[in-house]
Amino acid sequence: MDKSWIQCNRLSTEYEEGVQKFINFAIKNAAGSSVIRCPCVDCGNLSFETPTTVKDHLYMHGFDVKYDNWFWHGEEIRKSSSPQRENHFQQQNIEFDNGNELEMVNDAYKGCCGDPKAFKELLEQAEKPLYLGCTKFTKLSFLVKLFNVKGRFGWSDSGVSALLSVLADAFPKNNEIPTSMYEAKKTMSALGLEYVKIHACPNDCILYRKEYEGLLECPTCGLCRWKKKDGTVDQYRKGVPAKTLWYFPPIPRFKRVFQSSETARDLTWHANERMVDGKLRHPADSPSWKLVDEKWPIFASDPRNLRLALSADGINPHSSLSSTYSCWPIILITYNLPPWLCMKRKFMMLSLLIYGPQQPGLDIDVYLQPLIEDLQTLWDVGVEAYDAYKNEYFNLRAVLLWTINDFPAYGNLAGCTVKGYYACPYCGVETPKCRLKHSGKNVYIGHRLWLPHGHKFRFQAKAFDNSVCDETPPKLLNGEEIFQLVDSIDNRWGKSNIKSVKVRTIMISRGGRRNLYFII
């Protein structure tokens, strides 16, 4: 297609005819979408506009002369989109296939309002050879593969920096290999997603956000927000928080997955390609999924709306049983995908990272606040997202169906008792319990009451606790009864206010015994 009109005067007839031909070409390849990318100098193909707005921009700002391969408007991707580079590469008998990198850059900024200059620089990295004469790698493709290997084998940043330094010396001169991990991250930063570091009270009372954002000390326990140089908590100076929560907002990541046409198609697999034969083949066959479809048909009408599970557990990041350091990752899992993709690592989204000397315990609700707010937005209102498979915008919503955790974490997340005399989540206050005389441990040996009447185990007294079980199991509560119980609970975020009460503990040793006194 003739592109000589781009260099013409914007008031000339040639430029006017060229703009109209470009608009017609872009609309023809938009596959029914009402918006197209604007290739003007200011937008640089980084914003989606209506054809009328694009035409106005091209007259006001001019067409970006560097954009000579219209691959974002329907043309096939050439080996290089820069004429000077292409002529130079042809002289060196170089052939590039950097379509994957260009597609990756394309996906990185769809619907994103980032810095246009940063994305232009990233596009240049996708076209630049790793070194003069290299036909296999561009700078961006090399870094992408290096980051994949780093994540797969758990390489440290310092180790990768040392490797990059050696490679930069080993490869031909004037190569594009960064000499440190810092420089590599700067190049890859435009492909990444945002995260937020939120300061937290060392006692897990509050997060310093919203109404608490400007405070210097916790309004609940009075502890200072900042650290001293020796690591103890005190009002030493600003800039070193005593505790930090890493939050990875899920909404931009959910929008990102729909910007890949292949992934966007997979996210509707449960509705379009799943075999429905009465067998449990996918979470969509479960009663929980069907209950959501039945109670909220508007939500279920769009198969792109996400069904999520939240997984939480504590780990020791240092692999040392003697260390008390705790790390709690909170992961969101999307079940719209086919069974062979649901549990792939790339579709498990880390949303929260809670770490510190002690685990959050029952105060984990304090750290879940930002995630719950985003999930509430996705359920009540939804967000606008772009579906690359159907080439259209839609309102994306999500629902949290399940949580995945062990029994202690279940107690933290659900607020249920998981130890003591009422540890059974089914029996509740009617839990059959027995405290062993010598070990002082609680045991639960009343499980026979859940067996059918007349079962032989009910009459084997000697094998159990020397008694015959003739009891009936407690009544299971239905959903309405559970909701009534939950509504009657005084549920508030975080801990109660104890700032007005000053508590000092004194340890006194008397005759080999230690007594603990609380002085108020």
Side-chain angles (χ1 to χ4, degrees):
M1 180 177 294
D2 179 30
K3 299 181 177 67
S4 59
W5 57 271
I6 296 176
Q7 305 285 353
C8 296
N9 191 316
R10 277 178 267 169
L11 300 178
S12 64
T13 305
E14 292 82 357
Y15 190 85
E16 181 180 357
E17 294 176 352
V19 168
Q20 189 59 49
K21 289 181 181 179
F22 169 78
I23 295 294
N24 295 338
F25 177 78
I27 294 175
K28 180 181 177 181
N29 292 282
S33 177
S34 60
V35 293
I36 59 176
R37 295 181 183 275
C38 179
C40 75
V41 174
D42 284 0
C43 296
N45 283 310
L46 299 179
S47 63
F48 290 86
E49 306 289 350
T50 62
T52 303
T53 304
V54 172
K55 183 183 294 187
D56 293 340
H57 282 198
L58 293 179
Y59 281 118
M60 289 187 294
H61 310 302
F63 199 101
D64 187 358
V65 295
K66 295 181 180 179
Y67 182 53
D68 67 326
N69 180 199
W70 297 346
F71 54 88
W72 277 329
H73 295 88
E75 283 191 353
E76 294 184 1
I77 298 178
R78 294 206 301 261
K79 304 304 180 183
S80 175
S81 59
S82 173
Q84 295 179 356
R85 289 197 189 107
E86 186 173 3
N87 294 335
H88 178 71
F89 294 158
Q90 286 177 354
Q91 293 174 3
Q92 300 294 332
N93 296 321
I94 295 177
E95 291 186 359
F96 269 111
D97 184 11
N98 54 351
N100 292 333
E101 286 72 36
L102 293 175
E103 183 179 354
M104 181 171 55
V105 175
N106 183 23
D107 290 339
Y109 90 88
K110 277 183 180 177
C112 178
C113 54
D115 183 10
K117 293 182 179 179
F119 283 109
K120 286 185 177 180
E121 292 176 1
L122 190 66
L123 182 59
E124 292 179 359
Q125 308 304 326
E127 300 172 341
K128 189 180 297 183
L130 188 61
Y131 56 86
L132 189 62
C134 179
T135 61
K136 193 171 184 180
F137 285 106
T138 64
K139 180 179 180 180
L140 183 62
S141 65
F142 171 77
L143 291 177
V144 168
K145 293 182 184 297
L146 182 66
F147 270 69
N148 285 335
V149 175
K150 177 185 182 297
R152 181 180 301 177
F153 297 102
W155 292 356
S156 64
D157 285 4
S158 57
V160 176
S161 295
L163 175 63
L164 288 172
S165 179
V166 173
L167 292 178
D169 292 337
F171 276 66
K173 291 183 178 181
N174 300 323
N175 60 69
E176 298 295 333
I177 299 177
T179 57
S180 66
M181 192 62 188
Y182 174 74
E183 294 182 9
K185 286 183 177 180
K186 285 179 62 178
T187 303
M188 298 289 292
S189 60
L191 289 178
L193 290 168
E194 61 178 357
Y195 64 89
V196 182
K197 291 196 289 187
I198 306 174
H199 298 173
C201 172
N203 287 336
D204 307 324
C205 301
I206 63 164
L207 295 178
Y208 289 97
R209 58 191 294 268
K210 292 189 172 180
E211 67 270 21
Y212 302 129
E213 187 172 1
L215 298 182
L216 299 179
E217 63 179 26
C218 176
T220 302
C221 66
L223 209 57
C224 184
R225 179 175 181 171
W226 312 102
K227 275 184 180 180
K228 287 179 67 175
K229 278 186 176 180
D230 59 1
T232 59
V233 179
D234 194 5
Q235 191 169 352
Y236 172 69
R237 65 184 179 90
K238 297 181 181 179
V240 183
K243 194 170 185 179
T244 305
L245 167 70
W246 292 66
Y247 178 50
F248 304 85
I251 292 179
R253 306 176 80 181
F254 289 145
K255 295 170 68 175
R256 176 71 66 85
V257 297
F258 280 98
Q259 291 166 7
S260 169
S261 57
E262 183 178 354
T263 306
R265 183 190 61 189
D266 290 336
L267 286 168
T268 59
W269 180 92
H270 65 94
N272 301 328
E273 302 180 42
R274 176 174 58 94
M275 182 184 298
V276 181
D277 55 0
K279 297 181 179 179
L280 186 60
R281 301 179 181 272
H282 186 268
D285 299 317
S286 66
S288 301
W289 192 297
K290 295 177 181 178
L291 179 63
V292 172
D293 292 347
E294 181 181 347
K295 296 194 67 173
W296 296 282
I298 297 179
F299 176 87
S301 62
D302 193 340
R304 293 173 292 194
N305 289 333
L306 302 176
R307 319 290 178 111
L308 307 174
L310 184 144
S311 176
D313 200 3
I315 61 173
N316 189 327
H318 305 300
S319 303
S320 174
L321 296 179
S322 62
S323 173
T324 59
Y325 202 86
S326 173
C327 181
W328 278 69
I330 310 295
I331 298 173
L332 288 176
I333 302 170
T334 305
Y335 281 120
N336 292 47
L337 296 162
W340 55 88
L341 294 179
C342 280
M343 305 308 294
K344 291 290 186 180
R345 190 173 70 171
K346 69 177 182 177
F347 292 113
M348 296 183 183
M349 297 185 179
L350 178 66
S351 56
L352 291 170
L353 190 60
I354 311 167
Y355 68 93
Q358 298 176 348
Q359 63 178 357
L362 294 176
D363 299 318
I364 195 173
D365 61 331
V366 174
Y367 296 96
L368 290 173
Q369 289 181 57
L371 177 60
I372 291 176
E373 291 172 3
D374 279 348
L375 292 178
Q376 194 71 39
T377 300
L378 286 169
W379 169 251
D380 292 336
V381 183
V383 295
E384 185 182 50
Y386 180 75
D387 186 344
Y389 180 63
K390 293 187 176 181
N391 292 321
E392 63 181 15
Y393 286 91
F394 72 102
N395 187 50
L396 173 63
R397 297 176 62 195
V399 62
L400 183 65
L401 285 182
W402 301 287
T403 60
I404 305 171
N405 41 260
D406 57 12
F407 203 53
Y410 164 76
N412 296 337
L413 289 173
C416 297
T417 301
V418 294
K419 54 188 176 181
Y421 290 124
Y422 307 117
C424 178
Y426 292 97
C427 300
V429 295
E430 301 179 30
T431 301
K433 62 269 185 183
C434 176
R435 191 171 184 86
L436 299 180
K437 180 179 179 180
H438 299 288
S439 66
K441 294 183 178 180
N442 292 329
V443 294
Y444 313 97
I445 56 178
H447 50 277
R448 287 184 295 167
L449 57 84
W450 292 93
L451 296 174
H453 287 284
H455 196 282
K456 62 179 181 179
F457 285 171
R458 282 181 171 266
F459 306 101
Q460 293 180 0
K462 187 176 181 180
F464 292 92
D465 57 351
N466 294 322
S467 65
V468 176
C469 180
D470 56 359
E471 302 176 5
T472 58
K475 177 188 175 183
L476 293 177
L477 300 179
N478 58 33
E480 294 181 358
E481 293 171 334
I482 293 176
F483 282 134
Q484 291 176 0
L485 288 175
V486 172
D487 289 339
S488 64
I489 298 175
D490 182 14
N491 182 28
R492 297 180 228 173
W493 290 108
K495 300 178 181 179
S496 59
N497 194 337
I498 59 173
K499 185 178 180 181
S500 58
V501 180
K502 296 183 179 179
V503 180
R504 288 191 299 149
T505 60
I506 300 179
M507 189 78 70
I508 302 178
S509 178
R510 290 181 179 174
R513 297 181 57 188
R514 289 190 174 184
N515 299 325
L516 185 65
Y517 294 87
F518 292 87
I519 301 176
I520 300 179

